[in-house]
Amino acid sequence: NPREVPSPLIGKPAPQFALPALDGLKDDKGNPVPGFSTADLSGKVSIVNVWASWCAPCRKENPLLMALAQRDDIRIFGIDYKDEPENARRFLGQLGNPFTAIGVDDNGSTAIEWGVYGVPETFVVAADGTIAWKHVGPLSERSVVEKLIPAIEKAAAR
C-alpha cells in the first residue's frame, strides 16, 4: 500500500527548520497567521500537514482538517509547499484555515527534510518534538478514525 510508506523519521526529532509566514494571511480576528519552526512543535501534540493550493486531494481533505482544528488537545501546522501566496490565501479563504500557523516552503527544501514524497502528507509530532506518525496522501474519514486519532492518542500518552 503506497500510503503505508515507512518513514525513517518516526521516533526521531523533527528536522530543524524555520519557515516564514504566508504573507498577507489573517486569522478570523484579523491577526497575521504566523510562520513556524521546529521549536513550535514542542509542548503539545501537533499535526503537521504538507499541502498546496494546486493539490486537488488537499482540497478534499481540508474539511477533515477543519474538524480536527476544533480539538483542544492538538495544534495543526501547515507547510505550504511550492505555492503562489495569492493562490494559497484564496484556497484557505474558500475552504477555511485549519492551521495554527503556516510556513511557506517555496523551494521545497523543508519538505525534503521531512521526507515528503508529494502533497498532501500528514505527520503527528509528539509533545517532545519527535515524529510519531506519518500518512502519505490525502486523509479520509476512515484514515482519521482508524489511524490519525489513535496516533494522536498514542503520542499524547508518551
Side-chain angles (χ1 to χ4, degrees), residues 25 53 59 84-96:
L25 183 65
S53 65
R59 187 170 287 275
E84 293 296 327
E86 59 275 7
N87 294 341
R89 286 190 302 273
R90 187 177 314 110
F91 176 98
L92 296 168
Q94 291 171 348
L95 300 174

Side-chain angles (χ1 to χ4, degrees), residues 52-75:
S53 65
W54 46 263
C55 164
C58 297
R59 187 170 287 275
K60 288 179 73 175
E61 78 174 2
N62 187 272
L64 297 169
L65 294 171
M66 291 296 292
L68 287 164
Q70 302 306 308
R71 293 177 61 132
D72 292 330
D73 60 333
I74 59 170
R75 298 169 299 184

Side-chain angles (χ1 to χ4, degrees), residues 34-157:
F36 74 106
S37 69
T38 308
D40 295 310
L41 299 176
S42 294
K44 190 173 188 177
V45 174
S46 301
I47 293 173
V48 176
N49 179 259
V50 184
W51 66 282
S53 65
W54 46 263
C55 164
C58 297
R59 187 170 287 275
K60 288 179 73 175
E61 78 174 2
N62 187 272
L64 297 169
L65 294 171
M66 291 296 292
L68 287 164
Q70 302 306 308
R71 293 177 61 132
D72 292 330
D73 60 333
I74 59 170
R75 298 169 299 184
I76 304 177
F77 294 93
I79 296 177
D80 184 26
Y81 179 76
K82 294 186 177 182
D83 211 349
E84 293 296 327
E86 59 275 7
N87 294 341
R89 286 190 302 273
R90 187 177 314 110
F91 176 98
L92 296 168
Q94 291 171 348
L95 300 174
N97 179 7
F99 304 113
T100 301
I102 297 173
V104 174
D105 188 15
D106 57 0
N107 66 8
S109 61
T110 298
I112 290 169
E113 293 296 319
W114 280 78
V116 169
Y117 294 91
V119 292
E121 289 193 20
T122 304
F123 298 82
V124 172
V125 180
D128 66 0
T130 60
I131 298 174
W133 182 78
K134 176 182 180 178
H135 180 80
V136 176
L139 294 168
S140 65
E141 287 184 33
R142 183 175 180 180
S143 65
V144 168
V145 170
E146 294 180 3
K147 306 278 183 165
L148 178 60
I149 291 173
I152 291 167
E153 291 168 355
K154 186 176 177 184

